[in-house]
Each structure stands twice: as structure tokens, then as C-alpha cells.
Amino acid sequence: MQMIRCPWCGPREEVEFHYGGQAHVPYPAEPAALSDEEWAHYVFFRDNTRGVFAERWSHSAGCRKWFNALRDTVSYRFLAVYRPGDPRPVLDGSDQTQHQTHHQKAGASS
Amino acid sequence: MADAAPSSTVPLPRTHPLDVRPDLTEQTAGAVVARPLTTAVQVRAELPGPAADAAARVLGVALPARPGTWVATPGGGRVVWLGPDEWLVLDPTTTPWDLEPRLREALAPAGGAAVDVSAQRVVLELSGPLARDLLAAGCAVDTHPSVFPAGRAAQTLLAQAGVVLLALSDDGQRYELLVRSSFARYLADWLVDAATEHRARRA
């Protein structure tokens, strides 16, 4: 089973965590000014990223705290975890996963 | 860390969920003992902050700041880290109706909170050479004494049941297991099952 590193408790089994969707979705600055379509986009529309995705997780069977993680949606590998309020970490090149390299190579050769 | 063995245990006027399993210790080859019901108070406070300071004055020991640890209180209780702003105070030497008001009156004006959760959990003691084997049958946390010595604590899952695990000794032979009361009989059954192979090997 995959281990996920809680920023407080350290590595724990995946089943101890709950997924919370895309991270860094800002609440509308002027909610009253939004049209129905803009509300629908805020409430329901999320990115469907192939590769590194910033998302929210909760250590629901442990400290029950929410945190953010950068996860590769292809390999499922967690590349970074960080506490709420902390800025999204910048990954260096070594963190980029294999499939992106393949993808880029395929793109370059075609 | 010295283990704070309770000098006197105050009985609480409630039915113990494991009264129906008087043979639990025998069936687990002596590894599992159900402890009497214990006074437990959940503390919420910002650390550092005035509420955490107030809690420390009442308890006689600072709230542990390091994740996954517990500390002994001078009176024979324990303070367990449950989260960055949440602790569990266990004190078998007092009653909920004594400890909770004392903590709440100190914490509330400072922005903290204290709630009696004595009915929430049952305490099991795991001891002996089987203790780690039983835990390993259903828990992924590394309990080796080199990383989980006395003073360490973990909120995790044991056999899919939420538990708080406390290490009481540095030799990997004494643990306290806190399980929710409604899961206590299930977990007791599971521990008996996990101990079966060891009983057979000894027979």
C-alpha cells in the first residue's frame, strides 16, 4: 500500500487519508457579483491535470488535519506535502516524473 | 521516560464494554489486559499561546509540542499529542467531574477548550514479547523501539479500527492501546484471533 507523508505524523498508509480535491481554489472576491455560470465554475469545475497536480488531503484517521500535496496523477507518486498557508513548493527537475519526459520526447520527435 | 503507573485508580460509574470478555487476557496468551475505565479530557488550544500555558499550569506539565508524543503528568496521568492544536489528557487518579471543570475554567478565558471524553475510549494494555507481533498483524506504524520508544504515540488504524497507540517502555514490550468504546469488543475479538497462532505455537 502506498504511504503518504502527513506533514505532522510522518508516513502513514494511504487508507488513513481522505482526498479533498484541487488545492488553491480561491473563494470569489465578490461572491454577490457572480453570475450563475461563474458560480457553477467555482463550485463544480476543476482542473483535470495530467502530471503534477496540487490537491488537498486530510489525515482523517490520524491528526485529522488538512494539508496540501503535489501528486503526479499518472504515477500516483507524491512529490511534496505542505501545510495549509504554505506556498506551493517549486519542484526541481529531478522531481519530474518519467511519463512527462516520454511525453516531451514524443512531442519533440513528431 | 519514566512510566507513570497510577498510584490509585478511581472507579467510574459505567459499564465496561469488555466486561463481557473476562477471558481476554487468557485468550491472548497474557498479552492483552483491559484496563479499568479512565478519566479522559480532550484539550484544544493554540500552541504556543495563553490557553496552552493555562493547561500546563493545571496539568503540571507543558502540552507536548512534538507530533506523535506523550508526556507523564506529576499526578500520574498522561498528556497525549493528538494534533497540532489537540491533546488528550488521561488521568486514572481523578474523576471527569473534577478534571474537566478545572481545565475548562482555566482554558476557556484564554480561548481554549476542554471536553470530557471519558466515555469515548477504552484502554487496553499490551505487554510481553507478543505485543509487537499482535500490533504488526493489523497496523502499519513501525513500532520498533528504535523509532517508537517510550514517550511516542500514534493515532492510526489497527485492523481498520481507529486507535491511539502509546509506547510505555523502551524495550518494545509495553504499549497502551486506546480504542473507541463501540469498537472495543470488535478489537478484542480481533486481538484474540491475532493471538491464536501464537497460542497454538506455545501449546
Side-chain angles (χ1 to χ4, degrees):
Chain A
M1 186 183 295
Q2 168 153 249
M3 304 292 269
I4 298 175
R5 192 170 67 81
C6 167
W8 289 277
C9 303
R12 294 293 181 85
E13 283 193 313
E14 182 183 349
V15 291
E16 294 193 10
F17 296 85
H18 267 95
Y19 181 65
Q22 182 176 354
H24 310 301
V25 179
Y27 190 75
E30 285 189 63
L34 258 56
S35 68
D36 285 355
E37 189 182 346
E38 287 168 328
W39 265 119
H41 271 89
Y42 167 68
V43 174
F44 299 114
F45 281 55
R46 294 293 180 263
D47 295 341
N48 187 18
T49 306
R50 183 182 194 273
V52 181
F53 190 42
E55 51 197 20
R56 305 174 71 226
W57 284 82
S58 164
H59 189 193
S60 46
C63 61
R64 302 199 304 284
K65 288 291 158 190
W66 285 93
F67 61 93
N68 295 325
L70 296 183
R71 184 178 65 97
D72 190 301
T73 58
V74 177
S75 66
Y76 276 36
R77 191 190 300 167
F78 279 72
L79 306 173
V81 293
Y82 51 108
R83 298 180 183 191
D86 288 354
R88 176 179 166 149
V90 178
L91 301 173
D92 61 30
S94 63
D95 287 324
Q96 298 304 313
T97 47
Q98 206 77 42
H99 75 92
Q100 284 173 317
T101 314
H102 288 313
H103 185 68
Q104 282 155 7
K105 276 180 188 163
S109 62
S110 61
Chain B
M1 185 174 298
D3 171 34
S7 48
S8 63
T9 301
V10 178
L12 300 186
R14 276 178 44 231
T15 306
H16 198 298
L18 294 177
D19 279 348
V20 295
R21 301 301 307 260
D23 53 353
L24 176 63
T25 305
E26 184 193 333
Q27 292 202 320
T28 52
V32 182
V33 176
R35 284 270 189 81
L37 298 172
T38 301
T39 294
V41 175
Q42 180 173 284
V43 166
R44 302 296 300 255
E46 251 185 62
L47 185 78
D53 295 343
R57 280 195 295 276
V58 173
L59 297 168
V61 65
L63 299 173
R66 190 177 164 212
T69 59
W70 65 270
V71 297
T73 67
R78 310 187 202 284
V79 185
V80 186
W81 184 98
L82 293 186
D85 56 359
E86 183 180 358
W87 290 267
L88 182 67
V89 179
L90 301 164
D91 194 343
T93 67
T94 185
T95 59
W97 48 93
D98 168 60
L99 183 61
E100 188 213 30
R102 276 198 291 132
L103 277 167
R104 192 174 51 220
E105 281 159 24
L107 281 159
V115 179
D116 171 25
V117 292
S118 305
Q120 187 184 16
R121 292 186 177 95
V122 167
V123 181
L124 300 172
E125 180 167 338
L126 270 66
S127 59
L130 276 190
R132 287 191 61 224
D133 285 339
L134 294 185
L135 290 172
C139 179
V141 170
D142 187 356
T143 55
H144 192 274
S146 62
V147 291
F148 204 74
R152 294 292 310 205
Q155 271 190 105
T156 184
L157 297 175
L158 175 63
Q160 288 84 50
V163 295
V164 182
L165 181 65
L166 312 182
L168 303 189
S169 73
D170 285 333
D171 59 4
Q173 302 235 352
R174 279 193 72 209
Y175 299 91
E176 247 179 30
L177 191 60
L178 280 59
V179 59
R180 292 186 203 285
S181 297
S182 53
F183 280 82
R185 289 177 192 173
Y186 157 72
L187 198 70
D189 287 347
W190 182 87
L191 285 164
V192 168
D193 184 63
T196 303
E197 58 175 307
H198 301 286
R199 280 208 319 275
R201 204 175 293 162
R202 284 180 175 195

